[in-house]
């Protein structure tokens, strides 16, 4: 089971998930919700991008019509230029019309570029921005838990961290929680009472999502 919520990051073993069941369940639910939210953001952004891209259809039609007309006018201008005496006079308006047709073609190309840029921007705004927001809310918290829990687990497994956990519990646990301990926690800690130190350390470990070692006094 440990392999399910442990992994490696930068060569260091991390506890990606808590050892305590309730907190691990909450983490799993939060991760599933975050992944689904990211997938939804991706789908929305992709859908908006595709829907906007369809607006480029008239631009493609305009480009095609302009290109076809320009080609035909170019051919007509070439043929008119071969007419004796009047060739230049006949060719000039056809060349001008061909230039106008090329302008129509370019307008179609420009419209497609504008739509492509708009589609990219709308896709990022509707999909990328919400996805970034989800990541900012979710990922740093998960990484922070993994690093803190991993460091605490190594300290716990070394057997040298009971005092550290006990002091953290005295400083961080609510008074109502400390009052439920069977002995005075402050006095017990000053007197080096192993049961009090173990009870305080267990409170802190539980907050970190870690189980108490079997060697803890009961």
């Amino acid at each position: 089971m440990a392999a399910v919520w442990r992994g490696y990051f930068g060569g260091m073993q991390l506890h990606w998930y808590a050892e305590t069941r309730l907190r691990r369940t909450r983490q799993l639910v939060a991760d599933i919700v975050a992944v689904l939210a990211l997938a939804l953001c991706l789908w929305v952004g992709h859908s908006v991008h595709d829907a906007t891209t369809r607006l480029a259809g008239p631009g493609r039609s305009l480009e095609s019509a302009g290109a076809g007309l320009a080609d035909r006018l170019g051919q007509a201008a070439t043929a008119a230029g071969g007419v004796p005496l009047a060739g230049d006079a006949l060719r000039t308006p056809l060349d001008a019309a061909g230039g106008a047709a090329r302008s129509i073609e370019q307008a179609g190309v420009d419209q497609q570029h504008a739509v492509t840029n708009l589609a990219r921007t709308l896709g990022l705004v509707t999909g990328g921005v919400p996805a970034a927001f989800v990541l900012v809310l979710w990922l740093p918290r998960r990484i922070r838990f993994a690093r803190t829990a991993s460091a605490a687990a190594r300290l716990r497994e070394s057997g040298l961290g009971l005092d550290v956990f006990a002091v953290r519990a005295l400083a961080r646990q609510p008074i109502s929680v400390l009052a439920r301990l069977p002995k005075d926690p402050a006095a017990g800690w000053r007197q080096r009472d192993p049961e009090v130190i173990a009870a305080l350390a267990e409170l802190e470990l539980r907050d970190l999502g870690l189980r108490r070692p079997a060697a803890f006094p009961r």
Side-chain angles (χ1 to χ4, degrees):
M1 178 64 70
V4 174
W5 62 84
R6 290 187 184 182
Y8 285 86
F9 182 79
M12 179 177 64
Q13 187 181 37
L14 292 181
H15 281 62
W16 288 108
Y17 292 95
E19 295 175 349
T20 53
R21 180 177 301 176
L22 180 59
R23 186 165 185 179
R24 184 170 67 245
T25 300
R26 290 201 301 263
Q27 289 174 332
L28 283 168
V29 170
D31 287 355
I32 292 172
V33 170
V35 170
L36 291 177
L38 289 173
L40 178 62
C41 291
L42 179 63
W43 178 80
V44 169
H46 186 70
S47 298
V48 170
H49 177 275
D50 286 353
T52 307
T53 301
R54 295 192 193 100
L55 298 176
R60 286 191 291 270
S61 299
L62 197 61
E63 178 190 6
S64 177
L69 179 60
D71 289 342
R72 288 192 294 273
L73 287 171
Q75 293 170 2
T78 300
V83 175
L85 300 177
D88 290 342
L90 293 174
R91 179 168 187 161
T92 298
L94 292 174
D95 285 337
R102 291 298 178 190
S103 297
I104 294 173
E105 178 187 5
Q106 186 59 45
V109 172
D110 292 343
Q111 193 265 354
Q112 292 175 70
H113 288 166
V115 169
T116 299
N117 292 333
L118 177 63
R120 186 181 299 114
T121 300
L122 291 179
L124 287 174
V125 169
T126 58
V129 172
F133 185 70
V134 171
L135 286 173
V136 167
L137 289 179
W138 166 66
L139 193 57
R141 183 179 302 178
R142 295 293 291 117
I143 293 176
R144 184 166 56 249
F145 166 83
R147 297 182 64 177
T148 302
S150 301
R154 289 194 298 273
L155 194 60
R156 176 195 62 182
E157 290 158 8
S158 72
L160 303 175
L162 290 186
D163 270 347
V164 174
F165 296 127
V167 171
R168 280 174 59 92
L170 282 173
R172 297 175 68 251
Q173 293 295 324
I175 297 297
S176 58
V177 173
L178 296 175
R180 289 198 293 268
L181 295 177
K183 297 181 180 180
D184 181 349
W189 181 78
R190 286 195 300 269
Q191 295 166 8
R192 315 300 300 158
D193 185 326
E195 292 185 5
V196 172
I197 292 175
L200 289 170
E202 183 177 0
L203 287 176
E204 191 63 21
L205 285 170
R206 188 185 307 143
D207 270 7
L208 292 169
L210 300 176
R211 291 191 297 263
R212 60 176 287 160
F216 267 28
R218 293 183 180 273

